[in-house]
Amino acid sequence: MSVYTLLSQNQLRDLLEKYELGKIESIEEIPDGIENSNYMLRAWQQDYVLTIFEQHAANELNPFFKFMMLAEQQGFAFPCPLLNKSGKALSFFEYKGKQKHFIVCKKLQGAHPAHIDTELCKELGLQFAAIHLLSTDENVKGLFPFDALDFVLPDSPLDFLSDEKQSLLAQQKLLIQKIASKTNDLPSGICHCDFFPDNSLVSIEEGKPALTGFLDWYDARNTFFILDLAIIAVSWCKDSNNTVNGKLVVALLEAYDEIRPLEEAEKDAWNDFLKIASCIFWLSREVYAHKMKLAGKEIKATKQSDEFYQLLLALENN
């Protein structure tokens, strides 16, 4: 269940009075996701998504909005907030004695990809190379402080891991320290850092897959482009046995290289960044599963840690 702020139909309609949407035809909860509360609504034959932020403070969101709006202006399908009647992207309301904040966006077209092939990976490479180049725009430089690899390891203790997993974690800590000490010259900029297939929308255009939605930018940060690319590789270019599919990775990298040619240092560090990308999602899912267990709640099937643990083991053994 991802709707933490449960509102009645009347309460939601009151919130939507802050916008020029016209007659609201329907509102329903969206059960996907972990961090925020989301509702789907329809008004005048147009679908919208209302997102109530549960993790980010209001003053943290402006950099994300600025980058998404710039990307939208450049033709990328980003879910940019509509401006409310006061001309603001963010709206506020009182809920159980606390101030909450939310946005409304038009729902983008397309669906999460049901099948990932080389054509779709080529599209990914082309699109993300162009998105990374947006980081050179004067309007977005400095939006986010540079964060090399400090965010890879969770802040919370990981003493609940088994001895075997603690050993693998120790290996990854050494790898992160090694890379952090010599990679400050790698190209960097604003990166999504969580672009899984379920953060995308895809449509078929002229017989080929087209990315029609780049969703959930609220974990974006200023870090290494090659890490963002590795995150995409470990989440999109996997086989059913939790190993990296070489053909899909080649399609991704070759297409990316057409728009933003990879530097030799990036190519040399590729395998290490695949491990770091796998480690990020293995550990985040371990922490999530531990929290759910303590709370007596069910773990979402899509957030199981085993696939990235097995992938990381396979990368370590190659």
Side-chain angles (χ1 to χ4, degrees):
M1 182 66 173
S2 65
V3 179
Y4 306 103
T5 302
L6 290 169
L7 301 175
S8 68
Q9 291 280 313
N10 287 339
Q11 288 173 314
L12 288 163
R13 290 174 187 275
D14 286 343
L15 295 189
L16 295 170
E17 286 296 318
K18 299 177 184 290
Y19 294 84
E20 299 283 1
L21 298 179
K23 182 181 179 181
I24 307 299
E25 300 169 18
S26 64
I27 307 174
E28 59 186 49
E29 298 171 6
I30 300 176
D32 297 330
I34 292 177
E35 291 190 349
N36 299 316
S37 298
N38 297 285
Y39 293 87
M40 182 76 70
L41 57 126
R42 188 167 181 81
W44 294 112
Q45 298 183 331
Q46 171 68 53
D47 291 326
Y48 300 87
V49 176
L50 184 155
T51 296
I52 301 170
F53 292 96
E54 309 289 0
Q55 305 291 331
H56 290 85
N59 60 5
E60 296 175 343
L61 292 167
N62 278 335
F64 301 103
F65 295 159
K66 287 181 180 178
F67 180 67
M68 289 192 294
M69 288 175 179
L70 172 68
E72 185 186 49
Q73 291 167 7
Q74 298 295 319
F76 294 100
F78 280 37
C80 290
L82 302 179
L83 299 183
N84 58 29
K85 291 177 181 177
S86 299
K88 304 293 184 181
L90 204 58
S91 298
F92 298 85
F93 68 101
E94 293 292 324
Y95 180 77
K96 295 185 177 180
K98 296 182 180 180
Q99 188 179 63
K100 309 281 284 189
H101 45 283
F102 71 98
I103 59 172
V104 174
C105 307
K106 285 186 178 180
K107 183 182 181 298
L108 299 174
Q109 299 301 309
H112 300 319
H115 174 67
I116 298 170
D117 56 16
T118 55
E119 288 299 317
L120 184 51
C121 288
K122 288 177 185 177
E123 172 76 355
L124 265 172
L126 294 171
Q127 293 285 351
F128 260 88
I131 289 172
H132 286 167
L133 289 177
L134 283 180
S135 296
T136 63
D137 190 287
E138 293 296 330
N139 294 311
V140 297
K141 280 185 178 179
L143 281 179
F144 300 89
F146 179 68
D147 188 348
L149 298 172
D150 292 340
F151 66 95
V152 172
L153 300 175
D155 294 330
S156 55
L158 299 172
D159 50 8
F160 55 86
L161 294 178
S162 67
D163 290 345
E164 181 183 9
K165 290 182 177 180
Q166 289 286 1
S167 176
L168 183 61
L169 175 58
Q171 289 179 260
Q172 301 318 301
K173 288 180 177 178
L174 291 174
L175 175 63
I176 291 165
Q177 290 172 2
K178 182 190 80 170
I179 293 177
S181 68
K182 65 177 185 178
T183 54
N184 288 334
D185 57 341
L186 289 175
S188 62
I190 299 173
C191 298
H192 188 286
C193 291
D194 194 31
F195 199 72
F196 276 63
D198 59 3
N199 279 332
S200 75
L201 296 174
V202 175
S203 296
I204 302 299
E205 298 180 3
E206 298 180 355
K208 291 186 177 182
L211 282 162
T212 53
F214 299 85
L215 311 179
D216 197 2
W217 281 86
Y218 301 107
D219 282 320
R221 61 188 68 240
N222 181 358
T223 190
F224 303 118
F225 292 140
I226 195 67
L227 176 58
D228 211 21
L229 203 51
I231 287 169
I232 293 170
V234 300
S235 56
W236 289 72
C237 306
K238 293 200 307 292
D239 286 324
S240 57
N241 59 351
N242 292 324
T243 57
V244 174
N245 183 307
K247 289 183 179 179
L248 297 182
V249 171
V250 168
L252 172 72
L253 296 181
E254 288 184 348
Y256 185 96
D257 201 58
E258 291 179 24
I259 306 297
R260 191 191 76 81
L262 292 166
E263 296 184 2
E264 287 303 314
E266 292 178 293
K267 296 176 183 178
D268 292 342
W270 176 246
N271 286 335
D272 284 341
F273 274 99
L274 285 178
K275 294 176 186 177
I276 291 175
S278 301
C279 182
I280 289 172
F281 298 109
W282 164 47
L283 294 179
S284 68
R285 281 154 175 72
E286 291 281 8
V287 171
Y288 163 75
H290 184 63
K291 287 180 178 178
M292 293 298 102
K293 182 179 179 181
L294 291 178
K297 296 181 179 179
E298 183 180 353
I299 301 170
K300 287 178 176 285
T302 56
K303 301 299 180 182
Q304 298 284 348
S305 64
D306 189 61
E307 62 173 309
F308 289 102
Y309 175 64
Q310 295 299 330
L311 178 57
L312 183 53
L313 283 176
L315 290 167
E316 283 289 344
N317 292 329
N318 283 345

